[in-house]
Amino acid sequence: MRFGNVRGLYDHDIVFWLGDLNYRLDSPYGYEHVVNVIESGNTNTLLEYDQLRKQQQLRHAFLGFKELLGMGYK
């Protein structure tokens, strides 16, 4: 991806992706269970159900990028 100033996406140290990307959890658990996990602070147990993480592992989205702000589960 190139911009009008000839700089590309990879010419920057930090890139912010903004917008509603609609990635969700493909969790077999119900809403209440997921909320309890989030409130307990043990969100790492939910990572295996994270659609974005799965797409990145399959190399279908955001190749070479890492999420630095943590998980955005609400």
Side-chain angles (χ1 to χ4, degrees), residues 4 10 12-13 17 19 21 27-28 35 47 54 57 63-64 66 71:
Y10 296 100
H12 304 279
D13 295 326
W17 295 97
L21 302 175
S27 171
V35 169
L47 290 178
K54 287 180 183 179
Q57 289 170 345
L63 299 178
K66 293 186 284 187
M71 298 193 312

Side-chain angles (χ1 to χ4, degrees), residues 12-41:
H12 304 279
D13 295 326
I14 297 174
V15 176
F16 292 94
W17 295 97
L18 304 174
D20 184 359
L21 302 175
N22 289 319
Y23 287 103
R24 310 240 189 276
L25 291 177
D26 280 333
S27 171
Y29 305 112
Y31 173 81
E32 291 296 325
H33 177 81
V34 172
V35 169
N36 288 335
V37 170
I38 293 169
E39 287 175 347
S40 75

